[in-house]
Amino acid sequence: MRFQLLGPLSIAHGPETVVLKPSKPTSLLAALLLHPGAVVSTGYLLRAVWDEEPPATARAALQTCVLRLRRLFAKYGISATTIEAVPGGYRMRNDTETLDLVLFRLLTAQARAAAGTDEELYRLREALSLWHGQPLANVASRMLQRDAVPALEQERLRVLERVCDLELAGGNCHQVLVDLYESARRYPVRERFTEQLIEALYRTGRQAEALAEYRTVRDRLREELGVDPGPGLRRLELAILRAEELGPAGRGEGAVELPSRQEPSAVTGPVALRGSGAEPGHPGGTGTAHPGRTAHPGRAGAPVGGATPVRGFAGREADLRAMALRLTDSDGPRLVVVSGAPGIGKSALARQSAYEVRDAFPGGVSVVDLAHPDGSGLGVDEARELLPEPDGGGRRLVLLDNAAGAGQVLPLLSGTGDASVLVTSRRGLAAVVATHGGAVHRLDVLGPGEARRLLAGLVGAERIGTEEAAARELAAVCGHFPLALRIAAGRLLTRPGLSVADCTAWLAEDPPARLALAEDPRLSVPEVFGQAVSALPPPLRETFLRVGSLDPAEGLCAAGSETVLEQLVEAGMLEDGPPGQAYRIHAFLQVYARWLARDGEDAAAATSLTR
C-alpha cells in the first residue's frame, strides 16, 4: 500500500489504484501527507479543509473527517493508527514504502551523493518517474492549491532542470531537445529551461533557431511582465551573436545543483563563456562548483562568488556611504559586521556595498554564504573549504554572508589572511569585534521613500506611480522590511492584472502568513522569521512571544528580565531603544510575534480537544 501525492491523491493497493474523490477528508489527508512524520497543527488543518472561513463547529467536524479517513483506511487494510492524534494536532508517519513524496526526496538525496554523473542521472530519472500528473488535482482545498501545489511543482522542476544539465554535460544535446522544447513552452517565465534549450540548439549548430528562441522569450517577458530577460539569457545571446565558444555544457552559473533539503530555491544566472573577456571570480567567469558562485582563481572549483550588483537595490544611500568609508579606509578596521533583524536586508546591503567598492580591492572580492538553504549554519570545516586562498593580487575583500554566530566566524578569520572582512549576521557578534576589533553597522528598516523606490525598481515605476497611495500602504503593511517588500513585488510581477490596492488589501488581512512565495523558502516571512525564532533558546522564544502582546509605547521591560532582553537584542529580534526607553521592536516583527503567539494558542486549544 502506498499513498500517492505526486499526481491526483490516490491510494495504491496491490495492482489497484484508487483515486480519491474531492472532499473534506481528502483535503485533510493531503494536508497530513504533505508533512510526513511531522505534527500538523489543528489550526493549519482547519485552514486546509475549510480555507479561510472554518465554521464554528469546524474542530468537531475535523474529528469527524479523521474518523471517515480511518474507516476508508480499514477498507484497504491500513491501520487506523496511521493517523495519530497528538498534542497540538495530528501526525502521519510515512516512509519510502508508504508515500511517493518521501521516496522522491530520498532518490534526489541519493542523486546528490552519487559517485558519478551516470548514477546521479539514473536516480533523478527514477525520481521523475514517480510523477503521474498534476499534484493534488483532486484536492479541493484552495489553500493547498495556492501554497502546497506550486512548492511540489518547484521540487519536480528543479530535478528536471538538473537532468537536462547532466544530459547537456554528457553531450546529449539532440536527445534532450524534446524535453527542453516542452519545458520551455510550458514554463516560459522559468528562464533556465529557455537557457538550456538555446544552449542545446547552439551546440547542435542551429544558431538561427537559438536566436529565434531568445527573441520569442524576450518579447513574451516584455509583453506579459514588463521585464527583460535575465543576465544569463542576455549573455548567451551575446555569445551566439559573437559566435563564441561556450564553456562546458550544462555547467554555467545558471546550472542547477540539487538542493540540500526538500525545498531549496532554483538559481538562474549567466552561462559561463570562454573568450568573453570575463575574469574568473567575476560575473561571466568560467566554471562553477555551486549555483550562482564563480570559481576563485586561487583554488580551482572553489564555490566562491564575486562582487555582483543586487537586482532592484534601492535606497540605503546613507548606509552605502558609511559602508564604503569603513571598507576602503586603509587605516580603519579590517573587519565590519552588518547586523540586524531577519529579513531587514543585511545581505543585500553587504553585497551591493562590496560591488560598489570592488575597484578598491585589486586582489578581488569573494562572497561566501555561511548558511544552508534551510537557514542552518555551515560547519566550520565545511566553511573553511569555501574560503578563497590569497593569490598575491593585492588588497582583497571577503564577504562572509549569513553568519550564524561568533562560534562560526572566529575560526574562519585566520583563514582570510590579510583580507578585509565583511560579515552579515542577525547577531551583533560582539565576541568577534571584541577579540579582532572592527566596526558594527546595525541596520534599520527602510524609510517610506526608500521602500517606495524599491517597489518601483522591482515592479516598475509606471505601475507603482499610478497607485502611489496604495504603494505607500503596501510598504506600511510590509513594515518597510525589504524581505516583505520583495515578496509583495513578486506577487505583483506574477499577476500583471492585480492592482497594487487589491494586493495590499489581501496581504493586510494576514501579513505574516500571506507574505510568502511558495517556490522559494527564502522569500517567505513565516520561513525566514520562523528560522530565527526556532534558533532561540526556549526562554528567549517565550519572551519574544510575550513582546507581541505589549504596547511598545509603554516599554518592553515587562516581557522579561534585562538579561533575556539583551540576548534578544544580540539575536536581532529586539533593538536598543531611544533614551528613556531601553528596548524597542520593529512593528512588523511585533505583528509576527503576535501572529505566532495566536497560532500557539490555536495549537493549545486543539490539544485540549484531542485529550
Side-chain angles (χ1 to χ4, degrees), residues 77-111:
I78 305 172
S79 171
T81 59
T82 299
I83 298 182
E84 303 176 58
V86 295
Y90 293 88
R91 172 173 57 200
M92 288 186 68
R93 298 184 185 275
N94 295 103
D95 55 24
T96 57
E97 299 295 324
T98 59
L99 180 60
D100 58 357
L101 179 61
V102 176
L103 179 58
F104 172 80
R105 288 170 175 167
L106 174 66
L107 289 170
T108 58
Q110 291 175 339

Side-chain angles (χ1 to χ4, degrees), residues 17-307:
T17 299
V18 179
V19 177
L20 303 182
K21 296 180 180 179
S23 65
K24 287 180 172 56
T26 299
S27 295
L28 171 62
L29 178 59
L32 290 169
L33 291 173
L34 285 165
H35 304 85
V39 176
V40 185
S41 73
T42 301
Y44 176 88
L45 294 174
L46 292 175
R47 293 192 296 272
V49 175
W50 283 276
D51 291 301
E52 304 300 331
E53 299 177 357
T57 58
R59 293 181 183 276
L62 185 66
Q63 294 176 322
T64 302
C65 289
V66 172
L67 291 175
R68 289 174 61 185
L69 282 178
R70 286 172 173 164
R71 293 193 193 104
L72 175 67
F73 291 173
K75 180 179 178 181
Y76 295 102
I78 305 172
S79 171
T81 59
T82 299
I83 298 182
E84 303 176 58
V86 295
Y90 293 88
R91 172 173 57 200
M92 288 186 68
R93 298 184 185 275
N94 295 103
D95 55 24
T96 57
E97 299 295 324
T98 59
L99 180 60
D100 58 357
L101 179 61
V102 176
L103 179 58
F104 172 80
R105 288 170 175 167
L106 174 66
L107 289 170
T108 58
Q110 291 175 339
R112 288 194 302 274
T117 55
D118 289 343
E119 181 185 352
E120 182 183 3
L121 188 57
Y122 175 80
R123 295 295 183 194
L124 295 180
R125 288 288 190 191
E126 188 179 4
L128 288 175
S129 71
L130 297 173
W131 289 76
H132 51 283
Q134 176 70 17
L136 307 184
N138 55 333
V139 175
S141 168
R142 292 195 303 272
M143 186 188 89
L144 295 182
Q145 291 294 332
R146 182 189 69 227
D147 298 336
V149 171
L152 288 174
E153 278 287 353
Q154 290 301 317
E155 290 192 57
R156 183 183 73 84
L157 293 177
R158 281 191 285 272
V159 171
L160 182 56
E161 285 179 348
R162 179 60 177 158
V163 165
C164 293
D165 277 334
L166 291 173
E167 294 284 17
L168 288 173
N172 301 322
C173 297
H174 287 284
Q175 294 90 321
V176 81
L177 275 173
V178 174
D179 285 339
L180 287 174
Y181 269 121
E182 179 183 356
S183 301
R185 298 292 186 274
R186 187 172 179 183
Y187 307 101
V189 298
R190 196 176 180 97
E191 294 186 20
R192 182 58 191 153
F193 283 132
T194 303
E195 284 184 38
Q196 291 170 323
L197 174 59
I198 293 173
E199 181 180 344
L201 289 170
Y202 184 50
R203 289 183 184 280
T204 53
R206 299 155 71 173
Q207 292 92 328
E209 291 180 59
L211 287 172
E213 285 294 332
Y214 172 83
R215 287 160 187 159
T216 297
V217 74
R218 178 197 62 193
D219 294 344
R220 183 185 296 117
L221 288 171
R222 287 177 176 175
E223 179 180 344
E224 296 180 3
L225 300 178
V227 298
D228 287 321
L233 278 172
R234 295 199 302 270
R235 290 176 184 274
L236 187 53
E237 181 211 22
L238 186 60
I240 296 172
L241 291 172
R242 293 175 174 175
E244 293 176 336
E245 178 187 357
L246 300 185
R251 299 305 300 166
E253 284 187 35
V256 172
E257 176 140 330
L258 282 179
S260 59
R261 72 178 192 124
Q262 66 192 41
E263 63 272 276
S265 61
V267 179
T268 301
V271 173
L273 308 176
R274 290 197 184 113
S276 64
E279 292 290 330
H282 292 78
T286 60
T288 61
H290 291 275
R293 293 169 175 169
T294 54
H296 189 276
R299 184 183 303 172
V304 178

Side-chain angles (χ1 to χ4, degrees), residues 446-487:
L446 295 173
E450 293 177 317
R452 189 262 180 212
R453 292 200 297 277
L454 178 59
L455 285 172
L458 294 170
V459 179
E462 182 177 354
R463 188 172 177 187
I464 295 299
T466 58
E467 295 186 77
E468 285 284 357
R472 287 194 297 271
E473 185 179 351
L474 177 58
V477 167
C478 294
H480 301 104
F481 266 66
L483 170 67
L485 290 164
R486 286 184 178 274
I487 294 169

Side-chain angles (χ1 to χ4, degrees), residues 282-365:
H282 292 78
T286 60
T288 61
H290 291 275
R293 293 169 175 169
T294 54
H296 189 276
R299 184 183 303 172
V304 178
T308 56
V310 176
R311 177 182 174 271
F313 190 90
R316 302 283 197 205
E317 289 86 358
D319 293 299
L320 285 172
R321 287 194 298 271
M323 293 290 294
L325 287 172
R326 286 173 171 170
L327 291 171
T328 58
D329 183 1
S330 58
D331 297 324
R334 286 181 43 252
L335 174 68
V336 177
V337 175
V338 180
S339 66
I344 207 163
K346 300 179 293 295
S347 293
L349 173 65
R351 289 171 182 256
Q352 185 68 20
S353 297
Y355 172 74
E356 294 190 3
V357 301
R358 65 194 185 283
D359 291 341
F361 296 92
V365 177

Side-chain angles (χ1 to χ4, degrees), residues 322-526:
M323 293 290 294
L325 287 172
R326 286 173 171 170
L327 291 171
T328 58
D329 183 1
S330 58
D331 297 324
R334 286 181 43 252
L335 174 68
V336 177
V337 175
V338 180
S339 66
I344 207 163
K346 300 179 293 295
S347 293
L349 173 65
R351 289 171 182 256
Q352 185 68 20
S353 297
Y355 172 74
E356 294 190 3
V357 301
R358 65 194 185 283
D359 291 341
F361 296 92
V365 177
S366 304
V367 180
V368 180
D369 194 338
L370 297 181
H372 291 292
D374 63 356
S376 61
L378 300 182
V380 173
D381 291 338
E382 189 178 5
R384 275 201 187 101
E385 288 299 313
L386 303 183
L387 290 177
E389 291 181 349
D391 59 358
R395 190 182 183 195
R396 300 179 302 126
L397 174 64
V398 176
L399 167 55
L400 301 178
D401 202 11
N402 297 311
Q408 185 188 38
V409 174
L410 284 170
L412 301 178
L413 292 179
S414 61
T416 60
D418 60 353
S420 295
V421 180
L422 176 59
V423 186
T424 72
S425 177
R426 290 195 300 269
R427 311 192 71 85
L429 302 184
V432 176
V433 177
T435 55
H436 286 74
V440 178
H441 189 91
R442 187 76 177 185
L443 206 55
D444 208 337
V445 296
L446 295 173
E450 293 177 317
R452 189 262 180 212
R453 292 200 297 277
L454 178 59
L455 285 172
L458 294 170
V459 179
E462 182 177 354
R463 188 172 177 187
I464 295 299
T466 58
E467 295 186 77
E468 285 284 357
R472 287 194 297 271
E473 185 179 351
L474 177 58
V477 167
C478 294
H480 301 104
F481 266 66
L483 170 67
L485 290 164
R486 286 184 178 274
I487 294 169
R491 181 166 290 276
L492 288 168
L493 282 171
T494 54
R495 295 164 175 79
L498 179 65
S499 71
V500 178
D502 287 343
C503 179
T504 303
W506 183 78
L507 290 174
E509 292 177 5
D510 194 0
R514 292 182 172 178
L515 279 165
L517 300 182
E519 64 271 17
D520 191 341
R522 295 173 304 178
L523 290 173
S524 164
V525 165

